Amino acid sequence: MTELPEYYFRIRDNGAAVFRVTTENRQRRIEMDEIAVINIRNGNVKPHGEHVLSDEEQAVIADWMAERRAVLAERDIDDIHRAVDYLNLTTHWAQSRASDEDLDDVTDRLLLAMHDLRSVLVRKKADRVMAQAKTTENAEG
């Protein structure tokens, strides 16, 4: 049998519940004792009940949180790339297969969503261009 990890993280909204995994009992049953609840967004780590987190436990939790944030960031950018694909597929659908009723059903919502997205993207791009120009100006001046 493969050796079990010492800690188990049960994913939940905005974080995880952290368990210490043990099999050191007479029946060799797997026991999972909850030791903490963590919030990935704000970094809060709350020990469970009266448990005091050891330095090792804190380090394991910090490592898991860093890895989890990296996974979530990768998923975010992957979702955006998929959104670009969906926009292209939606364009093809609207041009080639959509009925008038289909278009009536989605046009206003799509136009508002695209307008909102475009406004944000243009503003953010302008902010980056201005910041870059200011950096270049300071470097030259």
Side-chain angles (χ1 to χ4, degrees):
M1 180 174 152
T2 337
E3 193 164 320
L4 294 172
E6 192 171 349
Y7 299 96
Y8 171 71
F9 293 80
R10 181 192 297 154
I11 305 297
R12 52 194 252 176
D13 288 342
N14 299 326
V18 185
F19 296 85
R20 178 180 285 279
V21 178
T22 58
T23 57
E24 302 301 319
N25 54 55
R26 285 186 280 182
Q27 296 84 18
R28 300 283 297 157
R29 289 186 179 157
I30 298 171
E31 292 182 8
M32 295 185 354
D33 299 316
E34 187 171 357
I35 62 170
V37 173
I38 57 180
N39 184 314
I40 199 77
R41 290 187 188 212
N42 63 20
N44 284 350
V45 177
K46 294 181 183 175
H48 182 73
E50 301 296 315
H51 185 80
V52 176
L53 294 171
S54 69
D55 290 344
E56 175 194 359
E57 290 168 339
Q58 290 178 25
V60 168
I61 289 169
D63 289 347
W64 182 88
M65 290 175 74
E67 289 173 19
R68 183 68 179 165
R69 284 186 178 116
V71 165
L72 294 174
E74 286 177 28
R75 286 182 185 168
D76 278 350
I77 198 68
D78 187 53
D79 286 347
I80 300 308
H81 288 291
R82 288 175 197 237
V84 172
D85 289 349
Y86 288 133
L87 283 171
N88 285 306
L89 292 169
T90 301
T91 301
H92 179 70
W93 168 83
Q95 187 174 34
S96 63
R97 296 191 322 267
S99 69
D100 288 345
E101 293 80 23
D102 291 337
L103 291 171
D104 285 341
D105 186 40
V106 299
T107 296
D108 290 342
R109 288 182 292 156
L110 276 170
L111 287 172
L112 288 170
M114 289 186 310
H115 174 74
D116 186 29
L117 176 60
R118 183 183 185 284
S119 298
V120 169
L121 292 174
V122 167
R123 181 173 30 88
K124 292 289 208 171
K125 176 96 178 193
D127 291 348
R128 289 192 313 276
V129 168
M130 295 299 289
Q132 186 177 12
K134 196 174 277 190
T135 303
T136 303
E137 182 180 298
N138 289 341
E140 292 173 355

